[in-house]
Amino acid sequence: MNLINIEKITKAFTDRKLFDQASFSLQEGEKVGVIGINGTGKTTLLKMLAGMEEPDEGNITTANHVVIRYLPQHPEFNSEMSSLDCVLEGNVSDENRWTIESDAKAMMARLGIRDFAQPAGQLSGGQRKRLALISVLLSPADILLLDEPTNHLDNEMADWLEEYLKKWRGALVMVTHDRYFLDSVCNRIVEIDKGSVYSYQTNYSGFLELKAQREEMEMASERKRQSILRVELEWMRRGARARSTKQKAHIQRYEELRDRQAPVQDAKLELSSVSARLGKTTVELEHICKNYGERKLIDDFNYIFLKGDRVGFIGPNGCGKSTLMKIIAGIVPQDFGQVVVGQTVKMGYYAQEISSEKPEGDARENSIDFSYMDPEQRVIDYVKDTAEYIHTADGMVTASAMLEKFLFPPDKQYSPIGKLSGGEKKRLNLLRVLFTSPNFLLLDELSNNLDIATLTILEDYLDRFEGIVVAVSHDRYFLDRTMKRIFAFEGEGKLRQYEGGYTDYSMRKAAEAEAGQEPPARTAIKANTSAAGKGQRIRGPQKLKFTYKEQKDYETIEGEMANLEDRIAALEKDIETSAHDFVKLSQLMAEKEELETALEEKMERWMYLEELAAKIGEQ
């Protein structure tokens, strides 16, 4: 059954045309993911489907008696109403109040809202978004329209919502940048691109393949058009030798080919910068503790960041992830412990929230806090406050040229920041962070408000980035794509370490749950937890522990093994090309044998340390 039908709509804002003769339909039971770069009209499409906006041209037809519920990107509530009343508003009658209220409280607790009486005016933007999501999910509906439902959800909440929507039997249209979510929930992907709507009857993985095929077909058609056009142009230059009627048709064909619009390539964000050199000492966290009132956020956390580290922090909302990032950046002081920062470390801190009010704290000397944006300041001045030029792989680039690479055309560069969309502010914030040429990147919820195309380019940039990357993220794809180590907040202020990305972490947790294992009570052993430290807090007797040397070896040995394997692989290639140079071949073989011996020793040491770590973890 066709629930909603959109026919040849046109919609423009000022001089920007979002939709140009676009069509769309929604069938019963379809779960549609809407994607496209920021500013293409994804939110506008949802609002038109919800009847909140009208197209300039075209028709939108909705089937009779269809009930639609809409989750806005930035919901608003009466600041005086309690959290529970915000959820129940519009959902409760005398007959169903008991059931609905019980379901509402259970869902609120599931999404981390436990103070049901707290006024909405005291809630954060993320908490209000979760309240609105609960209200929509509790309502009887035939169609759900969800704008960024996974924003402000931690990993466990996102997993829960994913399962909920997979089982939900109604139709769904959703805007999200969570690629795993799109892959798991949606059976159809709709892409908004240059005013048109393209539909793909598949999930996100299938969409990537089909879009590549579509673009290749468009380019093939354009190559064919250009080839025919060259022949036609040559014919026009030579003059017609055929009858006049045939000549007229030929001219018309030439003009039609000439005037046909070629496929338009999207402007793509370009990321390129050269990071500052990183010395031997990077950043060391020693016995970091942080409390808020009686609540313990971080309890005795130790870690030494190594060159090339890619470390992700995950955990429930409000557990202290952003606080830890601010402690590292020097914006928030720790209650106990110290942060040792090397002289060559140059931090770039990408804040989760962008504020129009100046922060009270000051970042440490070798890091800059970009969480503040003056809404009256011009875009180009915001960047020039950092530097007039940036050194990139292609040479020196001006602030204005770099803004163009970040999809800010010249006319927008002189607009006040207050007129930018949320996604544009995030993109501008990212540019200014990278403009400092940092070698230690702190990224707090980078994937919020950034479109998939931008995230993909950023992930490629991080592959080439030679410094250290530390990220807080709920984007499971981003964590899998970029991170090599995960720290999870587990228990009261305790962090546990997992090697690999988010999928490796979740598989480890699932295996432990199946085996009925209890996780180690201590912070991850690899986190350089020195036994001799002021204020160290150890729960229960410990019969085994790492020595300082063992702790250092356990932290670095996997990287050393990988380095040895890479050197051996490179030598094997050199040996293949030196078969006729017996002197050089003998030297290479001797070097290879030496490296293989060193690798065997490292592997034996690694096995011993792994066994010791397992025994310590079982205590």
Side-chain angles (χ1 to χ4, degrees), residues 21-51:
Q21 297 291 300
S23 297
F24 169 82
S25 64
L26 178 67
Q27 303 295 321
E28 193 172 9
E30 282 192 314
K31 294 179 179 176
V32 180
V34 181
I35 63 176
I37 63 174
N38 288 334
T40 54
K42 301 186 295 294
T43 295
T44 301
L45 176 63
L46 290 193
K47 287 182 177 179
M48 288 193 292
L49 291 173

Side-chain angles (χ1 to χ4, degrees), residues 10 91 129 160 162 179 184 204 209 317 395 461 500 563 570:
T10 298
N91 289 325
K129 181 65 177 279
W160 172 82
E162 183 179 306
R179 288 156 284 186
S184 177
Y204 181 73
E209 297 179 10
N317 288 330
Y461 167 83
N563 184 46

Side-chain angles (χ1 to χ4, degrees), residues 133-358:
L133 175 62
I134 294 166
S135 179
V136 167
L137 296 181
L138 282 174
S139 308
D142 301 298
I143 302 173
L144 293 182
L145 305 175
L146 308 179
D147 197 350
E148 296 288 2
T150 58
N151 276 8
H152 307 290
L153 298 185
D154 62 37
N155 300 104
E156 290 186 4
M157 294 175 188
D159 289 340
W160 172 82
L161 180 61
E162 183 179 306
E163 291 302 316
Y164 184 96
L165 294 178
K166 283 166 67 175
K167 296 174 182 176
W168 194 70
R169 295 185 178 182
L172 166 69
V173 182
M174 171 177 60
V175 173
T176 182
H177 305 313
D178 189 324
R179 288 156 284 186
Y180 279 161
F181 205 85
L182 287 167
D183 222 24
S184 177
V185 174
C186 297
N187 53 28
R188 179 180 165 201
I189 299 294
V190 164
E191 181 189 22
I192 304 175
D193 186 20
K194 295 180 285 291
S196 298
V197 174
Y198 298 92
S199 181
Y200 305 83
Q201 296 292 337
T202 181
N203 60 5
Y204 181 73
S205 297
F207 152 76
L208 292 175
E209 297 179 10
L210 294 176
K211 182 182 179 181
Q213 293 175 15
R214 173 176 70 82
E215 290 181 339
E216 178 57 34
M217 289 172 62
E218 288 178 351
M219 295 309 297
S221 297
E222 173 61 13
R223 288 192 294 269
K224 183 177 180 181
R225 181 181 78 93
Q226 291 291 345
S227 178
I228 296 173
L229 189 57
R230 282 193 295 270
V231 175
E232 296 294 315
L233 181 59
E234 185 63 25
W235 182 88
M236 290 288 289
R237 286 172 176 169
R238 289 181 181 180
R241 295 190 177 90
R243 291 177 298 175
S244 60
T245 54
K246 188 174 288 187
Q247 177 188 358
K248 184 177 179 180
H250 224 136
I251 293 172
Q252 288 175 341
R253 182 185 183 192
Y254 162 74
E255 290 176 343
E256 190 275 330
L257 286 167
R258 180 197 62 193
D259 297 336
R260 189 184 302 169
Q261 187 175 7
V264 179
Q265 296 296 311
D266 287 327
K268 290 186 178 179
L269 183 150
E270 298 179 40
L271 291 179
S272 173
S273 67
V274 177
S275 59
R277 184 187 66 84
L278 194 60
K280 184 177 180 181
T281 303
T282 59
V283 176
E284 300 180 6
L285 307 180
E286 300 177 357
H287 306 292
I288 300 300
C289 298
K290 183 66 179 180
N291 297 338
Y292 274 112
E294 297 182 356
R295 188 180 176 199
K296 189 175 294 181
L297 291 183
I298 304 166
D299 182 20
D300 195 21
F301 179 60
N302 301 269
Y303 188 71
I304 297 174
F305 291 97
L306 304 177
K307 290 182 180 180
D309 247 351
R310 298 291 189 270
V311 179
F313 289 95
I314 64 174
N317 288 330
C319 66
K321 303 184 298 296
S322 293
T323 300
L324 180 57
M325 297 283 273
K326 291 176 181 178
I327 288 173
I328 297 172
I331 297 167
V332 171
Q334 64 272 19
D335 295 338
F336 187 84
Q338 63 177 340
V339 180
V340 179
V341 181
Q343 292 183 349
T344 60
V345 172
K346 191 172 184 181
M347 292 188 186
Y349 171 55
Y350 177 91
Q352 179 180 358
E353 299 291 340
I354 295 175
S355 174
S356 57
E357 298 180 4
K358 288 187 177 181

Side-chain angles (χ1 to χ4, degrees), residues 154-159 180 313-315 473-486 488 498-509:
D154 62 37
N155 300 104
E156 290 186 4
M157 294 175 188
D159 289 340
Y180 279 161
F313 289 95
I314 64 174
S473 181
H474 299 317
D475 187 328
R476 299 161 292 175
Y477 187 99
F478 177 81
L479 291 170
D480 274 346
R481 176 70 176 76
T482 59
M483 296 296 113
K484 298 179 181 177
R485 181 167 297 150
I486 297 291
Y498 299 83
E499 293 304 303
Y502 181 81
T503 299
D504 299 301
Y505 154 78
S506 59
M507 289 175 64
R508 174 81 177 272
K509 293 291 290 183

Side-chain angles (χ1 to χ4, degrees), residues 463-478:
D463 287 342
R464 304 187 302 273
F465 182 70
E466 296 180 354
I468 295 169
V469 181
V470 184
V472 168
S473 181
H474 299 317
D475 187 328
R476 299 161 292 175
Y477 187 99
F478 177 81

